[in-house]
Amino acid sequence: MHGPDWTSLPPDLLAKISEEFPIPHRARIRATCKDWHSAIVPVISRSPWLFVPDDDGEQHNSTFFSLPDKCSFTYPSLPELCGMTCVGSHAGWFVITDWKRKVSLLNPLTGNHISLPSHVARWNVDRVNHQAFNPKRIGKIVFSSNPTVHNYVVVAIYRFTDWELTYTKSGEDRWNLLETALTENDDSYKDIMHHDGKFYCITRKGEVIAFDLSGVSPIVTIIARSSALVSVIPAGTYCIQLACSNTGELFLVLKLAIDYALPYDVNKSEDVIVLRLQYSEDQPCWDVVKDLGNMSLLVGNSNSISISTEDLRGMRGNCIYLTEFFPETYSEGTLIYRKARMFDMKKGRWECLYSSTNFLPNTRKFPVFFQPPFWFTPSLL
């Protein structure tokens, strides 16, 4: 007796059946044969994606916008994501937290989940002072690529009296202050990124430091002193973010800060400066970049991403993709501005990719940790 010919199922029926399976299973079903591959819609559109938060901050579903394909789609919410707020993204994973101060890594496509410590140690071992990890004190969180329960490192810019670095690793039960005597005094951290096994940070004064946290003790390296940046920045206040090319070149993206107290203008063009770190015989220095060629940089609240647009149709080269997030607090509640924009370096102007404004009243039952949009690279690992 011969088995049924499953390839003869009508494509519409096959697509409907596949929707009942989890995303990783759908990917395997689609790879079964040519007929099934043609009938089932791809579960993974081309990356990078833009993660778009729900307007009310609850995030019942995961909504994304594929930049290369210029299409949006929504994945049903995982139980682990319900009631949580996303505070970062890297290598196909979210960093999520809730009002009870639980912190986790979550892959929203596979459901894989890694619980992180919920307490942070402010001082060294001889002066331990634990406190609950407060999501409202988070500036930014990044982590090592392809994390697993037994192998991960997470670093957060966290506000104590100032913006400092705290980290945790697999096997540890708390967040630890990342201190170094090499950094300049009375400085705080502005941005952080992970690349090729190291964490790169920039301070308020423009000093760039690399941390290798793979061993028992952190290894700290000064990449560039603040004096190298001061000499190339014109007058003004800039938001500074780190980025790195696929070949390891280090970049800074500087955007002229706007006055949040003024009326908000989505289409307003602020000046953008892109710098590349160059190594000379004397000391590293920053050079102004006018043309990125086929490369584009995606910066914002997630780990920065560098892409080559040569083989990625739908994406534009020589551009800066930026996510932004501005909460303004009033007596009745909070007005939240979210947007994602693209700065064309050749044309010298912005193009808006996404923008939303919504008001969250103070009458909500639980605290709201206002989440921004951010870049996302899907992974089934």
Side-chain angles (χ1 to χ4, degrees):
M1 181 180 293
H2 298 287
D5 182 9
W6 295 106
T7 62
S8 63
L9 284 174
D12 291 346
L13 178 59
L14 187 58
K16 191 67 176 178
I17 293 173
S18 70
E19 292 174 359
E20 301 300 319
F21 287 87
I23 290 171
H25 294 181
R26 265 190 269 170
R28 298 185 184 101
I29 293 172
R30 191 169 185 266
T32 301
C33 64
K34 291 182 179 180
D35 292 333
W36 287 22
H37 185 275
S38 300
I40 299 174
V41 176
V43 295
I44 300 294
S45 182
R46 292 186 304 165
S47 65
W49 295 354
L50 173 68
F51 172 72
V52 180
D54 283 351
D55 285 341
D56 64 0
E58 292 294 342
Q59 204 57 49
H60 297 296
N61 295 300
S62 300
T63 303
F64 300 93
F65 177 79
S66 171
L67 297 182
D69 296 333
K70 295 179 175 56
C71 65
S72 61
F73 43 92
T74 300
Y75 287 111
S77 180
L78 295 167
E80 295 88 349
L81 196 56
C82 292
M84 306 293 286
T85 295
C86 301
V87 293
S89 171
H90 179 40
W93 290 68
F94 290 159
V95 187
I96 59 174
T97 184
D98 66 1
W99 64 281
K100 294 181 179 179
R101 295 183 169 89
K102 294 180 180 178
V103 191
S104 306
L105 301 181
L106 174 70
N107 185 324
L109 303 188
T110 65
N112 291 338
H113 182 270
I114 300 173
S115 296
L116 303 180
S118 57
H119 289 82
V120 58
R122 171 63 178 86
W123 306 111
N124 287 327
V125 177
D126 59 340
R127 294 180 293 158
V128 172
N129 178 17
H130 289 179
Q131 59 178 259
F133 192 86
N134 190 340
K136 291 187 177 181
R137 292 178 176 266
I138 297 172
K140 187 172 184 177
I141 295 183
V142 298
F143 47 93
S144 51
S145 301
N146 302 324
T148 67
V149 174
H150 303 292
N151 185 19
Y152 67 82
V153 183
V154 185
V155 180
I157 298 179
Y158 191 78
R159 189 177 185 87
F160 294 102
T161 54
D162 212 333
W163 293 104
E164 303 179 58
L165 295 181
T166 185
Y167 75 100
T168 190
K169 303 169 65 174
S170 49
E172 297 190 355
D173 60 356
R174 67 184 184 189
W175 295 78
N176 304 285
L177 188 66
L178 185 53
E179 295 180 298
T180 171
L182 298 179
T183 56
E184 298 173 355
N185 294 329
D186 300 324
D187 210 352
S188 64
Y189 292 93
K190 299 293 290 183
D191 195 31
I192 183 172
M193 64 166 290
H194 178 270
H195 176 75
D196 197 23
K198 294 183 179 180
F199 294 87
Y200 294 84
C201 312
I202 186 166
T203 68
R204 178 173 50 196
K205 296 179 180 178
E207 189 175 39
V208 179
I209 309 105
F211 294 93
D212 185 344
L213 303 176
S214 59
V216 177
S217 300
I219 299 176
V220 185
T221 306
I222 301 296
I223 303 298
R225 293 290 184 181
S226 58
S227 57
L229 184 59
V230 172
S231 61
V232 295
I233 298 182
T237 302
Y238 290 86
C239 301
I240 303 177
Q241 293 182 300
L242 284 162
C244 195
S245 70
N246 294 330
T247 58
E249 292 180 299
L250 198 62
F251 290 85
L252 290 183
V253 177
L254 290 78
K255 184 183 72 68
L256 190 64
I258 62 175
D259 187 349
Y260 301 154
L262 296 176
Y264 184 75
D265 183 0
V266 172
N267 298 314
K268 182 178 179 181
S269 295
E270 295 88 36
D271 293 335
V272 173
I273 301 173
V274 179
L275 305 175
R276 179 191 285 114
L277 188 64
Q278 301 284 2
Y279 293 91
S280 62
E281 294 181 359
D282 298 329
Q283 62 179 1
C285 60
W286 295 102
D287 287 343
V288 177
V289 179
K290 298 295 186 180
D291 191 344
L292 291 170
N294 291 323
M295 182 176 66
S296 285
L297 302 174
L298 288 75
V299 296
N301 302 284
S302 53
N303 196 68
S304 63
I305 301 172
S306 169
I307 61 171
S308 173
T309 59
E310 188 174 6
D311 300 318
L312 188 58
R313 296 181 61 184
M315 296 291 293
R316 283 162 56 179
N318 198 26
C319 292
I320 302 298
Y321 290 79
L322 175 70
T323 58
E324 297 173 290
F325 172 71
F326 310 125
E328 291 188 18
T329 302
Y330 299 90
S331 58
E332 301 84 4
T334 302
L335 189 63
I336 301 177
Y337 307 104
R338 299 184 181 97
K339 61 179 176 176
R341 297 186 294 166
M342 178 186 70
F343 184 79
D344 189 312
M345 294 185 62
K346 182 178 180 179
K347 297 178 181 179
R349 68 185 186 192
W350 290 101
E351 294 182 22
C352 186
L353 304 175
Y354 159 79
S355 179
S356 72
T357 304
N358 64 295
F359 184 79
L360 298 181
N362 291 330
T363 55
R364 295 175 62 93
K365 183 178 180 180
F366 300 117
V368 177
F369 307 130
F370 314 117
Q371 59 190 26
F374 50 76
W375 310 118
F376 180 77
T377 52
S379 172
L380 292 179
L381 296 179

